[in-house]
Amino acid sequence: MRVVITGGSGQVGQILARHFHTQGADVAVIARHVAPAPWSTVRWDGQRAGDWRKELDGADVVINLAGRSVNCRYNEANRREIKESRIVTTQLVGQAIAQASQPPKLWMNASTATIYRHAFDRSMDEVDGEIGGNEPGLPATWRFSYDVAKSWEKATPGTRKIALRSSMIMSPDIGGVFDTLLKLVRLGLGGSAGSGRQYMSWVHDVDFVRALEFLIARSDLEGCINITSPNPVPNREFMAALRRAYGALVGLPATDWMLEIGAIFVRTETELILKSRRVVPRRLPEAGFTFQFPDWEIAAADLVKRWRSGRL
């Protein structure tokens, strides 16, 4: 099997490249930043067509992850770059697929579970979930996140397509969201954020990869798919389970105002931690997919064990 990952230099791209390579697939990573790897790597600025397009010709699967990180301040320049980086790269990948003499059988395009509204009252799935962005009194930075997700999904033409509405992918890789949260726990700062009531949707990296393999094998599935554990948990419970997995006795909480000040200093937005993401999968379980790590308590223990052993 030939797998091409565009925008694959980040954590998720490297997880997928590593996995498919070890499974014997012919893997090509196309990205702005490439480093020596046991798989093929091709540089692409994400802004124009080029020789990289020939990598897609004859591929079995194309997984597009390209787009500027949202872990930044949402000023006007950053908002424009975040949105344009996703729309432009997706359109370029779509054009390359359309012009290929042997188009890929499947195109997976990264989306996000944050496309659903801020929800405490009920879970959001692909069928009954409510797309966010129109709630009264919604902060402008939150409204922007919905707009990005919706624009990205609209930009996908041609071939069999799957929009990967993924939640936070938990992996012990350095620099990922799990690594960041565990660092807070190790420093004694891993308490609840804000009220602690906001739900956190997450998925273990093993299940994320397994879900993509499942979707590749199931030619009858397309459209929007939630890639997330069936059991989102409130932030307070999430952090408590992570502290237990690590063996931390205490974790200092952070109030809303503390988070706002901290976000300015580290140049990010509090939406990334304060928005309630109560997202669940529906189409995957209905198609027969089972999660190896459906519960956070067990997942956290496994991830901490892997982090300690240095095993990715």
mmCIF file of all heavy atoms in Angstrom, residues 13-64:
data_model
loop_
_atom_site.group_PDB
_atom_site.id
_atom_site.type_symbol
_atom_site.label_atom_id
_atom_site.label_comp_id
_atom_site.label_asym_id
_atom_site.label_seq_id
_atom_site.Cartn_x
_atom_site.Cartn_y
_atom_site.Cartn_z
ATOM 1 N N GLY A 13 1.348 13.572 11.885
ATOM 2 C CA GLY A 13 1.935 13.033 10.661
ATOM 3 C C GLY A 13 3.031 12.030 10.941
ATOM 4 O O GLY A 13 3.139 10.994 10.267
ATOM 5 N N GLN A 14 3.863 12.311 11.943
ATOM 6 C CA GLN A 14 4.948 11.400 12.277
ATOM 7 C C GLN A 14 4.424 10.105 12.908
ATOM 8 O O GLN A 14 4.971 9.025 12.686
ATOM 9 C CB GLN A 14 5.938 12.090 13.222
ATOM 10 C CG GLN A 14 6.688 13.244 12.563
ATOM 11 C CD GLN A 14 7.463 12.801 11.331
ATOM 12 O OE1 GLN A 14 8.426 12.056 11.414
ATOM 13 N NE2 GLN A 14 7.027 13.265 10.152
ATOM 14 N N ILE A 15 3.364 10.200 13.701
ATOM 15 C CA ILE A 15 2.741 8.993 14.257
ATOM 16 C C ILE A 15 2.266 8.086 13.129
ATOM 17 O O ILE A 15 2.511 6.870 13.123
ATOM 18 C CB ILE A 15 1.553 9.366 15.176
ATOM 19 C CG1 ILE A 15 2.049 10.008 16.478
ATOM 20 C CG2 ILE A 15 0.698 8.126 15.486
ATOM 21 C CD1 ILE A 15 0.933 10.559 17.344
ATOM 22 N N LEU A 16 1.578 8.688 12.155
ATOM 23 C CA LEU A 16 1.042 7.901 11.043
ATOM 24 C C LEU A 16 2.155 7.353 10.150
ATOM 25 O O LEU A 16 2.120 6.185 9.748
ATOM 26 C CB LEU A 16 0.086 8.763 10.222
ATOM 27 C CG LEU A 16 -1.212 9.172 10.928
ATOM 28 C CD1 LEU A 16 -2.010 10.138 10.059
ATOM 29 C CD2 LEU A 16 -2.061 7.945 11.258
ATOM 30 N N ALA A 17 3.146 8.194 9.836
ATOM 31 C CA ALA A 17 4.249 7.733 8.980
ATOM 32 C C ALA A 17 4.987 6.581 9.635
ATOM 33 O O ALA A 17 5.313 5.576 8.980
ATOM 34 C CB ALA A 17 5.202 8.897 8.700
ATOM 35 N N ARG A 18 5.263 6.714 10.909
ATOM 36 C CA ARG A 18 5.976 5.666 11.650
ATOM 37 C C ARG A 18 5.191 4.364 11.631
ATOM 38 O O ARG A 18 5.735 3.279 11.381
ATOM 39 C CB ARG A 18 6.213 6.143 13.079
ATOM 40 C CG ARG A 18 7.107 5.246 13.920
ATOM 41 C CD ARG A 18 7.474 5.957 15.212
ATOM 42 N NE ARG A 18 6.330 6.306 16.030
ATOM 43 C CZ ARG A 18 6.126 7.512 16.568
ATOM 44 N NH1 ARG A 18 6.970 8.502 16.337
ATOM 45 N NH2 ARG A 18 5.061 7.743 17.320
ATOM 46 N N HIS A 19 3.874 4.469 11.876
ATOM 47 C CA HIS A 19 3.047 3.263 11.935
ATOM 48 C C HIS A 19 2.968 2.567 10.575
ATOM 49 O O HIS A 19 3.224 1.363 10.471
ATOM 50 C CB HIS A 19 1.642 3.606 12.416
ATOM 51 C CG HIS A 19 0.695 2.462 12.308
ATOM 52 N ND1 HIS A 19 0.667 1.431 13.219
ATOM 53 C CD2 HIS A 19 -0.239 2.158 11.360
ATOM 54 C CE1 HIS A 19 -0.236 0.547 12.861
ATOM 55 N NE2 HIS A 19 -0.807 0.968 11.740
ATOM 56 N N PHE A 20 2.598 3.318 9.538
ATOM 57 C CA PHE A 20 2.426 2.688 8.231
ATOM 58 C C PHE A 20 3.749 2.152 7.687
ATOM 59 O O PHE A 20 3.773 1.123 7.010
ATOM 60 C CB PHE A 20 1.793 3.681 7.248
ATOM 61 C CG PHE A 20 0.327 3.912 7.478
ATOM 62 C CD1 PHE A 20 -0.155 5.155 7.866
ATOM 63 C CD2 PHE A 20 -0.575 2.874 7.323
ATOM 64 C CE1 PHE A 20 -1.509 5.365 8.079
ATOM 65 C CE2 PHE A 20 -1.939 3.060 7.540
ATOM 66 C CZ PHE A 20 -2.409 4.316 7.915
ATOM 67 N N HIS A 21 4.858 2.837 8.000
ATOM 68 C CA HIS A 21 6.160 2.334 7.563
ATOM 69 C C HIS A 21 6.472 0.988 8.215
ATOM 70 O O HIS A 21 6.949 0.062 7.543
ATOM 71 C CB HIS A 21 7.248 3.360 7.896
ATOM 72 C CG HIS A 21 8.628 2.885 7.574
ATOM 73 N ND1 HIS A 21 9.112 2.791 6.280
ATOM 74 C CD2 HIS A 21 9.641 2.458 8.392
ATOM 75 C CE1 HIS A 21 10.338 2.340 6.312
ATOM 76 N NE2 HIS A 21 10.699 2.124 7.567
ATOM 77 N N THR A 22 6.208 0.875 9.523
ATOM 78 C CA THR A 22 6.488 -0.388 10.211
ATOM 79 C C THR A 22 5.567 -1.507 9.730
ATOM 80 O O THR A 22 5.901 -2.685 9.884
ATOM 81 C CB THR A 22 6.341 -0.231 11.741
ATOM 82 O OG1 THR A 22 5.011 0.209 12.054
ATOM 83 C CG2 THR A 22 7.331 0.788 12.284
ATOM 84 N N GLN A 23 4.413 -1.127 9.157
ATOM 85 C CA GLN A 23 3.499 -2.124 8.621
ATOM 86 C C GLN A 23 3.869 -2.541 7.195
ATOM 87 O O GLN A 23 3.171 -3.352 6.590
ATOM 88 C CB GLN A 23 2.062 -1.577 8.641
ATOM 89 C CG GLN A 23 1.508 -1.316 10.040
ATOM 90 C CD GLN A 23 1.441 -2.579 10.862
ATOM 91 O OE1 GLN A 23 0.869 -3.585 10.437
ATOM 92 N NE2 GLN A 23 2.022 -2.536 12.054
ATOM 93 N N GLY A 24 4.942 -1.951 6.663
ATOM 94 C CA GLY A 24 5.411 -2.339 5.335
ATOM 95 C C GLY A 24 4.869 -1.508 4.193
ATOM 96 O O GLY A 24 5.098 -1.842 3.021
ATOM 97 N N ALA A 25 4.157 -0.427 4.513
ATOM 98 C CA ALA A 25 3.617 0.425 3.450
ATOM 99 C C ALA A 25 4.718 1.298 2.848
ATOM 100 O O ALA A 25 5.742 1.570 3.487
ATOM 101 C CB ALA A 25 2.503 1.310 4.009
ATOM 102 N N ASP A 26 4.490 1.721 1.626
ATOM 103 C CA ASP A 26 5.359 2.691 0.951
ATOM 104 C C ASP A 26 4.854 4.073 1.356
ATOM 105 O O ASP A 26 3.790 4.503 0.913
ATOM 106 C CB ASP A 26 5.265 2.486 -0.567
ATOM 107 C CG ASP A 26 6.088 3.504 -1.342
ATOM 108 O OD1 ASP A 26 6.919 4.201 -0.728
ATOM 109 O OD2 ASP A 26 5.863 3.613 -2.564
ATOM 110 N N VAL A 27 5.600 4.772 2.192
ATOM 111 C CA VAL A 27 5.139 6.021 2.788
ATOM 112 C C VAL A 27 5.918 7.202 2.220
ATOM 113 O O VAL A 27 7.144 7.154 2.080
ATOM 114 C CB VAL A 27 5.308 6.005 4.327
ATOM 115 C CG1 VAL A 27 4.883 7.335 4.936
ATOM 116 C CG2 VAL A 27 4.501 4.861 4.933
ATOM 117 N N ALA A 28 5.193 8.276 1.898
ATOM 118 C CA ALA A 28 5.810 9.531 1.483
ATOM 119 C C ALA A 28 5.216 10.654 2.311
ATOM 120 O O ALA A 28 3.988 10.764 2.431
ATOM 121 C CB ALA A 28 5.576 9.796 -0.001
ATOM 122 N N VAL A 29 6.078 11.488 2.910
ATOM 123 C CA VAL A 29 5.649 12.648 3.681
ATOM 124 C C VAL A 29 6.012 13.906 2.906
ATOM 125 O O VAL A 29 7.162 14.093 2.504
ATOM 126 C CB VAL A 29 6.318 12.678 5.075
ATOM 127 C CG1 VAL A 29 6.045 14.009 5.778
ATOM 128 C CG2 VAL A 29 5.806 11.517 5.920
ATOM 129 N N ILE A 30 5.004 14.747 2.679
ATOM 130 C CA ILE A 30 5.195 15.999 1.955
ATOM 131 C C ILE A 30 4.904 17.139 2.916
ATOM 132 O O ILE A 30 3.791 17.238 3.455
ATOM 133 C CB ILE A 30 4.252 16.075 0.736
ATOM 134 C CG1 ILE A 30 4.479 14.880 -0.184
ATOM 135 C CG2 ILE A 30 4.434 17.379 -0.008
ATOM 136 C CD1 ILE A 30 3.461 14.771 -1.300
ATOM 137 N N ALA A 31 5.892 18.006 3.161
ATOM 138 C CA ALA A 31 5.710 19.029 4.186
ATOM 139 C C ALA A 31 6.702 20.173 4.012
ATOM 140 O O ALA A 31 7.671 20.071 3.250
ATOM 141 C CB ALA A 31 5.877 18.410 5.576
ATOM 142 N N ARG A 32 6.472 21.264 4.742
ATOM 143 C CA ARG A 32 7.387 22.406 4.727
ATOM 144 C C ARG A 32 8.743 22.021 5.315
ATOM 145 O O ARG A 32 9.783 22.429 4.828
ATOM 146 C CB ARG A 32 6.799 23.557 5.553
ATOM 147 C CG ARG A 32 5.593 24.241 4.953
ATOM 148 C CD ARG A 32 5.066 25.301 5.919
ATOM 149 N NE ARG A 32 3.868 25.933 5.415
ATOM 150 C CZ ARG A 32 3.857 27.053 4.695
ATOM 151 N NH1 ARG A 32 4.993 27.644 4.396
ATOM 152 N NH2 ARG A 32 2.719 27.576 4.282
ATOM 153 N N HIS A 33 8.693 21.273 6.411
ATOM 154 C CA HIS A 33 9.923 20.903 7.100
ATOM 155 C C HIS A 33 10.102 19.393 7.010
ATOM 156 O O HIS A 33 9.261 18.635 7.490
ATOM 157 C CB HIS A 33 9.862 21.346 8.562
ATOM 158 C CG HIS A 33 9.506 22.791 8.734
ATOM 159 N ND1 HIS A 33 10.361 23.807 8.416
ATOM 160 C CD2 HIS A 33 8.359 23.369 9.175
ATOM 161 C CE1 HIS A 33 9.777 24.967 8.662
ATOM 162 N NE2 HIS A 33 8.568 24.732 9.120
ATOM 163 N N VAL A 34 11.165 18.957 6.385
ATOM 164 C CA VAL A 34 11.429 17.527 6.261
ATOM 165 C C VAL A 34 12.765 17.220 6.928
ATOM 166 O O VAL A 34 13.676 18.030 6.947
ATOM 167 C CB VAL A 34 11.442 17.079 4.788
ATOM 168 C CG1 VAL A 34 10.078 17.289 4.146
ATOM 169 C CG2 VAL A 34 12.508 17.835 3.990
ATOM 170 N N ALA A 35 12.840 16.049 7.502
ATOM 171 C CA ALA A 35 14.054 15.596 8.178
ATOM 172 C C ALA A 35 14.362 14.183 7.714
ATOM 173 O O ALA A 35 13.478 13.480 7.199
ATOM 174 C CB ALA A 35 13.852 15.631 9.691
ATOM 175 N N PRO A 36 15.603 13.744 7.871
ATOM 176 C CA PRO A 36 15.945 12.373 7.482
ATOM 177 C C PRO A 36 15.027 11.364 8.157
ATOM 178 O O PRO A 36 14.762 11.455 9.365
ATOM 179 C CB PRO A 36 17.390 12.232 7.974
ATOM 180 C CG PRO A 36 17.923 13.626 7.997
ATOM 181 C CD PRO A 36 16.761 14.487 8.406
ATOM 182 N N ALA A 37 14.515 10.439 7.390
ATOM 183 C CA ALA A 37 13.570 9.441 7.912
ATOM 184 C C ALA A 37 13.655 8.192 7.056
ATOM 185 O O ALA A 37 14.124 8.245 5.913
ATOM 186 C CB ALA A 37 12.147 10.006 7.896
ATOM 187 N N PRO A 38 13.206 7.065 7.579
ATOM 188 C CA PRO A 38 13.245 5.826 6.798
ATOM 189 C C PRO A 38 12.192 5.775 5.694
ATOM 190 O O PRO A 38 12.119 4.797 4.964
ATOM 191 C CB PRO A 38 12.993 4.740 7.855
ATOM 192 C CG PRO A 38 12.249 5.436 8.937
ATOM 193 C CD PRO A 38 12.781 6.830 8.976
ATOM 194 N N TRP A 39 11.380 6.817 5.573
ATOM 195 C CA TRP A 39 10.391 6.889 4.504
ATOM 196 C C TRP A 39 10.734 8.080 3.608
ATOM 197 O O TRP A 39 11.556 8.929 3.931
ATOM 198 C CB TRP A 39 8.973 7.037 5.059
ATOM 199 C CG TRP A 39 8.866 8.071 6.143
ATOM 200 C CD1 TRP A 39 8.762 9.428 5.988
ATOM 201 C CD2 TRP A 39 8.887 7.825 7.543
ATOM 202 N NE1 TRP A 39 8.707 10.048 7.210
ATOM 203 C CE2 TRP A 39 8.771 9.087 8.186
ATOM 204 C CE3 TRP A 39 8.972 6.675 8.335
ATOM 205 C CZ2 TRP A 39 8.755 9.222 9.577
ATOM 206 C CZ3 TRP A 39 8.952 6.809 9.710
ATOM 207 C CH2 TRP A 39 8.839 8.066 10.314
ATOM 208 N N SER A 40 10.088 8.143 2.476
ATOM 209 C CA SER A 40 10.346 9.222 1.517
ATOM 210 C C SER A 40 9.841 10.556 2.059
ATOM 211 O O SER A 40 8.760 10.630 2.654
ATOM 212 C CB SER A 40 9.645 8.904 0.191
ATOM 213 O OG SER A 40 9.711 9.985 -0.694
ATOM 214 N N THR A 41 10.628 11.628 1.880
ATOM 215 C CA THR A 41 10.215 12.967 2.309
ATOM 216 C C THR A 41 10.400 13.954 1.163
ATOM 217 O O THR A 41 11.406 13.916 0.450
ATOM 218 C CB THR A 41 11.032 13.447 3.522
ATOM 219 O OG1 THR A 41 12.427 13.441 3.193
ATOM 220 C CG2 THR A 41 10.798 12.545 4.726
ATOM 221 N N VAL A 42 9.414 14.817 0.983
ATOM 222 C CA VAL A 42 9.430 15.798 -0.103
ATOM 223 C C VAL A 42 9.059 17.155 0.478
ATOM 224 O O VAL A 42 8.068 17.272 1.214
ATOM 225 C CB VAL A 42 8.432 15.414 -1.216
ATOM 226 C CG1 VAL A 42 8.440 16.460 -2.325
ATOM 227 C CG2 VAL A 42 8.749 14.035 -1.769
ATOM 228 N N ARG A 43 9.819 18.181 0.142
ATOM 229 C CA ARG A 43 9.543 19.519 0.653
ATOM 230 C C ARG A 43 8.458 20.197 -0.179
ATOM 231 O O ARG A 43 8.449 20.117 -1.407
ATOM 232 C CB ARG A 43 10.813 20.370 0.638
ATOM 233 C CG ARG A 43 10.673 21.687 1.408
ATOM 234 C CD ARG A 43 11.989 22.447 1.410
ATOM 235 N NE ARG A 43 13.053 21.696 2.070
ATOM 236 C CZ ARG A 43 13.217 21.645 3.385
ATOM 237 N NH1 ARG A 43 12.372 22.282 4.186
ATOM 238 N NH2 ARG A 43 14.211 20.953 3.915
ATOM 239 N N TRP A 44 7.543 20.895 0.517
ATOM 240 C CA TRP A 44 6.450 21.632 -0.120
ATOM 241 C C TRP A 44 6.134 22.851 0.722
ATOM 242 O O TRP A 44 5.951 22.735 1.941
ATOM 243 C CB TRP A 44 5.221 20.717 -0.251
ATOM 244 C CG TRP A 44 3.983 21.407 -0.749
ATOM 245 C CD1 TRP A 44 3.915 22.381 -1.704
ATOM 246 C CD2 TRP A 44 2.633 21.158 -0.335
ATOM 247 N NE1 TRP A 44 2.608 22.756 -1.905
ATOM 248 C CE2 TRP A 44 1.801 22.026 -1.087
ATOM 249 C CE3 TRP A 44 2.053 20.298 0.584
ATOM 250 C CZ2 TRP A 44 0.413 22.042 -0.933
ATOM 251 C CZ3 TRP A 44 0.681 20.309 0.744
ATOM 252 C CH2 TRP A 44 -0.140 21.166 -0.015
ATOM 253 N N ASP A 45 6.041 24.006 0.084
ATOM 254 C CA ASP A 45 5.783 25.229 0.837
ATOM 255 C C ASP A 45 4.315 25.405 1.201
ATOM 256 O O ASP A 45 3.948 26.337 1.922
ATOM 257 C CB ASP A 45 6.284 26.462 0.074
ATOM 258 C CG ASP A 45 5.558 26.672 -1.248
ATOM 259 O OD1 ASP A 45 4.596 25.939 -1.536
ATOM 260 O OD2 ASP A 45 5.970 27.585 -2.001
ATOM 261 N N GLY A 46 3.437 24.531 0.707
ATOM 262 C CA GLY A 46 2.025 24.608 1.042
ATOM 263 C C GLY A 46 1.281 25.734 0.351
ATOM 264 O O GLY A 46 0.113 25.997 0.662
ATOM 265 N N GLN A 47 1.910 26.368 -0.642
ATOM 266 C CA GLN A 47 1.290 27.531 -1.274
ATOM 267 C C GLN A 47 1.127 27.393 -2.781
ATOM 268 O O GLN A 47 0.369 28.146 -3.387
ATOM 269 C CB GLN A 47 2.126 28.785 -0.982
ATOM 270 C CG GLN A 47 2.204 29.125 0.492
ATOM 271 C CD GLN A 47 3.057 30.353 0.753
ATOM 272 O OE1 GLN A 47 3.734 30.862 -0.143
ATOM 273 N NE2 GLN A 47 3.043 30.836 1.980
ATOM 274 N N ARG A 48 1.812 26.453 -3.392
ATOM 275 C CA ARG A 48 1.747 26.362 -4.849
ATOM 276 C C ARG A 48 1.935 24.908 -5.306
ATOM 277 O O ARG A 48 2.451 24.073 -4.569
ATOM 278 C CB ARG A 48 2.801 27.260 -5.501
ATOM 279 C CG ARG A 48 4.210 26.980 -5.048
ATOM 280 C CD ARG A 48 5.194 27.985 -5.615
ATOM 281 N NE ARG A 48 4.896 29.336 -5.167
ATOM 282 C CZ ARG A 48 5.313 29.841 -4.001
ATOM 283 N NH1 ARG A 48 6.038 29.092 -3.183
ATOM 284 N NH2 ARG A 48 5.004 31.064 -3.646
ATOM 285 N N ALA A 49 1.502 24.686 -6.551
ATOM 286 C CA ALA A 49 1.691 23.361 -7.147
ATOM 287 C C ALA A 49 3.173 23.166 -7.460
ATOM 288 O O ALA A 49 3.942 24.119 -7.522
ATOM 289 C CB ALA A 49 0.856 23.244 -8.415
ATOM 290 N N GLY A 50 3.559 21.910 -7.620
ATOM 291 C CA GLY A 50 4.962 21.623 -7.881
ATOM 292 C C GLY A 50 5.175 20.147 -8.128
ATOM 293 O O GLY A 50 4.221 19.372 -8.298
ATOM 294 N N ASP A 51 6.449 19.740 -8.123
ATOM 295 C CA ASP A 51 6.784 18.342 -8.397
ATOM 296 C C ASP A 51 6.230 17.384 -7.348
ATOM 297 O O ASP A 51 6.118 16.184 -7.605
ATOM 298 C CB ASP A 51 8.306 18.184 -8.474
ATOM 299 C CG ASP A 51 8.893 18.829 -9.727
ATOM 300 O OD1 ASP A 51 8.113 19.096 -10.667
ATOM 301 O OD2 ASP A 51 10.107 19.065 -9.751
ATOM 302 N N TRP A 52 5.889 17.906 -6.164
ATOM 303 C CA TRP A 52 5.333 17.047 -5.115
ATOM 304 C C TRP A 52 4.063 16.324 -5.565
ATOM 305 O O TRP A 52 3.724 15.264 -5.029
ATOM 306 C CB TRP A 52 5.035 17.873 -3.858
ATOM 307 C CG TRP A 52 4.037 18.982 -4.076
ATOM 308 C CD1 TRP A 52 4.297 20.264 -4.441
ATOM 309 C CD2 TRP A 52 2.608 18.884 -3.961
ATOM 310 N NE1 TRP A 52 3.131 20.987 -4.564
ATOM 311 C CE2 TRP A 52 2.071 20.162 -4.262
ATOM 312 C CE3 TRP A 52 1.727 17.856 -3.638
ATOM 313 C CZ2 TRP A 52 0.706 20.439 -4.267
ATOM 314 C CZ3 TRP A 52 0.353 18.125 -3.624
ATOM 315 C CH2 TRP A 52 -0.134 19.405 -3.926
ATOM 316 N N ARG A 53 3.375 16.912 -6.551
ATOM 317 C CA ARG A 53 2.094 16.332 -6.978
ATOM 318 C C ARG A 53 2.239 14.915 -7.534
ATOM 319 O O ARG A 53 1.305 14.117 -7.435
ATOM 320 C CB ARG A 53 1.452 17.242 -8.035
ATOM 321 C CG ARG A 53 1.033 18.604 -7.506
ATOM 322 C CD ARG A 53 0.429 19.456 -8.598
ATOM 323 N NE ARG A 53 1.380 19.682 -9.679
ATOM 324 C CZ ARG A 53 1.078 20.320 -10.818
ATOM 325 N NH1 ARG A 53 -0.155 20.760 -11.010
ATOM 326 N NH2 ARG A 53 2.000 20.497 -11.754
ATOM 327 N N LYS A 54 3.417 14.615 -8.115
ATOM 328 C CA LYS A 54 3.583 13.273 -8.703
ATOM 329 C C LYS A 54 3.583 12.192 -7.632
ATOM 330 O O LYS A 54 3.336 11.014 -7.941
ATOM 331 C CB LYS A 54 4.871 13.221 -9.514
ATOM 332 C CG LYS A 54 6.149 13.411 -8.717
ATOM 333 C CD LYS A 54 7.364 13.464 -9.628
ATOM 334 C CE LYS A 54 8.655 13.647 -8.837
ATOM 335 N NZ LYS A 54 9.842 13.749 -9.715
ATOM 336 N N GLU A 55 3.841 12.562 -6.375
ATOM 337 C CA GLU A 55 3.809 11.574 -5.296
ATOM 338 C C GLU A 55 2.398 11.022 -5.087
ATOM 339 O O GLU A 55 2.219 9.907 -4.611
ATOM 340 C CB GLU A 55 4.306 12.202 -3.990
ATOM 341 C CG GLU A 55 5.742 12.706 -4.023
ATOM 342 C CD GLU A 55 6.742 11.580 -4.089
ATOM 343 O OE1 GLU A 55 6.405 10.457 -3.684
ATOM 344 O OE2 GLU A 55 7.880 11.817 -4.570
ATOM 345 N N LEU A 56 1.371 11.821 -5.423
ATOM 346 C CA LEU A 56 -0.012 11.407 -5.229
ATOM 347 C C LEU A 56 -0.512 10.475 -6.324
ATOM 348 O O LEU A 56 -1.483 9.732 -6.126
ATOM 349 C CB LEU A 56 -0.935 12.632 -5.155
ATOM 350 C CG LEU A 56 -0.996 13.395 -3.831
ATOM 351 C CD1 LEU A 56 0.343 14.014 -3.477
ATOM 352 C CD2 LEU A 56 -2.069 14.471 -3.868
ATOM 353 N N ASP A 57 0.149 10.529 -7.475
ATOM 354 C CA ASP A 57 -0.280 9.712 -8.616
ATOM 355 C C ASP A 57 -0.010 8.241 -8.316
ATOM 356 O O ASP A 57 1.131 7.833 -8.119
ATOM 357 C CB ASP A 57 0.483 10.149 -9.867
ATOM 358 C CG ASP A 57 -0.289 9.849 -11.144
ATOM 359 O OD1 ASP A 57 -1.048 8.858 -11.147
ATOM 360 O OD2 ASP A 57 -0.142 10.602 -12.110
ATOM 361 N N GLY A 58 -1.059 7.447 -8.283
ATOM 362 C CA GLY A 58 -0.926 6.022 -8.014
ATOM 363 C C GLY A 58 -0.963 5.661 -6.538
ATOM 364 O O GLY A 58 -0.850 4.474 -6.190
ATOM 365 N N ALA A 59 -1.117 6.652 -5.664
ATOM 366 C CA ALA A 59 -1.196 6.357 -4.228
ATOM 367 C C ALA A 59 -2.518 5.666 -3.899
ATOM 368 O O ALA A 59 -3.524 5.859 -4.581
ATOM 369 C CB ALA A 59 -1.065 7.637 -3.423
ATOM 370 N N ASP A 60 -2.503 4.857 -2.871
ATOM 371 C CA ASP A 60 -3.752 4.242 -2.401
ATOM 372 C C ASP A 60 -4.518 5.191 -1.484
ATOM 373 O O ASP A 60 -5.737 5.278 -1.546
ATOM 374 C CB ASP A 60 -3.437 2.945 -1.645
ATOM 375 C CG ASP A 60 -2.857 1.880 -2.549
ATOM 376 O OD1 ASP A 60 -3.622 1.329 -3.352
ATOM 377 O OD2 ASP A 60 -1.646 1.622 -2.465
ATOM 378 N N VAL A 61 -3.772 5.892 -0.636
ATOM 379 C CA VAL A 61 -4.391 6.787 0.345
ATOM 380 C C VAL A 61 -3.595 8.080 0.436
ATOM 381 O O VAL A 61 -2.362 8.049 0.494
ATOM 382 C CB VAL A 61 -4.435 6.139 1.757
ATOM 383 C CG1 VAL A 61 -5.143 7.065 2.744
ATOM 384 C CG2 VAL A 61 -5.117 4.787 1.708
ATOM 385 N N VAL A 62 -4.297 9.202 0.442
ATOM 386 C CA VAL A 62 -3.693 10.500 0.729
ATOM 387 C C VAL A 62 -4.320 11.031 2.018
ATOM 388 O O VAL A 62 -5.545 11.092 2.135
ATOM 389 C CB VAL A 62 -3.912 11.504 -0.422
ATOM 390 C CG1 VAL A 62 -3.446 12.904 -0.004
ATOM 391 C CG2 VAL A 62 -3.166 11.054 -1.663
ATOM 392 N N ILE A 63 -3.467 11.380 2.974
ATOM 393 C CA ILE A 63 -3.941 11.931 4.251
ATOM 394 C C ILE A 63 -3.408 13.355 4.351
ATOM 395 O O ILE A 63 -2.205 13.574 4.494
ATOM 396 C CB ILE A 63 -3.448 11.093 5.446
ATOM 397 C CG1 ILE A 63 -3.852 9.626 5.277
ATOM 398 C CG2 ILE A 63 -4.008 11.648 6.758
ATOM 399 C CD1 ILE A 63 -3.249 8.687 6.317
ATOM 400 N N ASN A 64 -4.304 14.327 4.256
ATOM 401 C CA ASN A 64 -3.885 15.731 4.271
ATOM 402 C C ASN A 64 -4.027 16.314 5.674
ATOM 403 O O ASN A 64 -5.129 16.403 6.216
ATOM 404 C CB ASN A 64 -4.706 16.553 3.283
ATOM 405 C CG ASN A 64 -4.294 18.010 3.287
ATOM 406 O OD1 ASN A 64 -3.111 18.336 3.404
ATOM 407 N ND2 ASN A 64 -5.264 18.899 3.185
#
